[in-house]
């Protein structure tokens, strides 16, 4: 059995925002200290539980276009199920999209996503989340 302290050391959490297509990542410490993280209209955020080789990831695409739809959101993970919390333009209610363990979920949206974060179990009794990300909406 692993002690709680060992599990915490092994389960270090790394977060970042990836600028689509560029492979750039913002360190979690910088992102958390500065508050919400601005990103392009197509933006991917990832939280990794390092000692458990687990990750949770979400992508928002505010460039998506289909009849009556202006955005698209995706969430996935490699082990346990996670979720993405998000807000749409003109709404004050937080929405959630869940994914099954080791799988993914997505949905097209009729409004642009104005802020989002991805979360998943941290293996020590809670959730790990990225900072709030603010994708471009124009």
């Amino acid at each position: 059995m692993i002690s709680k302290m060992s599990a915490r050391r092994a389960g270090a959490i790394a977060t970042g925002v990836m600028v689509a297509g560029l492979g750039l990542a913002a360190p979690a410490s910088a992102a958390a200290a500065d508050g919400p993280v601005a990103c392009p209209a197509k933006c991917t955020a990832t939280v990794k539980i390092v000692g458990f080789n687990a990750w949770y990831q979400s992508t928002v695409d505010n460039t998506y276009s289909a009849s009556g739809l202006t955005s698209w959101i995706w969430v996935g993970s490699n082990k346990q199920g996670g979720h993405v919390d998000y807000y749409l333009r003109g709404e004050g209610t937080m929405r959630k999209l869940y994914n099954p363990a080791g799988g993914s979920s997505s949905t097209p949206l009729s409004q642009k996503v104005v802020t989002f974060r991805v979360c998943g179990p941290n293996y020590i009794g809670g959730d790990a989340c990225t900072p709030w990300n603010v994708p471009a909406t124009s």
Side-chain angles (χ1 to χ4, degrees), residues 65-119:
S65 179
S67 181
L69 303 169
T70 63
S71 188
W72 174 84
I73 193 165
W74 172 90
V75 63
S77 64
N78 68 333
K79 292 190 177 180
Q80 296 188 46
H83 67 275
V84 60
D85 300 328
Y86 64 99
Y87 288 88
L88 298 177
R89 181 186 294 176
E91 293 185 7
T93 304
M94 184 173 72
R95 297 173 177 234
K96 291 181 182 273
L97 178 63
Y98 293 89
N99 70 287
S104 65
S105 298
S106 67
T107 190
L109 303 164
S110 60
Q111 295 292 328
K112 302 280 187 190
V113 174
V114 294
T115 188
F116 76 103
R117 69 179 181 183
V118 63
C119 303

Side-chain angles (χ1 to χ4, degrees), residues 14-32 35-48 56-60 116-118 129-136:
T15 63
V17 176
M18 181 163 291
V19 178
L22 298 179
L24 303 175
S29 56
V37 177
C39 60
K42 188 172 183 181
C43 179
T44 298
T46 304
V47 62
K48 295 180 181 179
Y56 310 96
Q57 189 171 72
S58 182
T59 297
V60 164
F116 76 103
R117 69 179 181 183
V118 63
C129 297
T130 63
W132 285 97
N133 301 283
V134 182

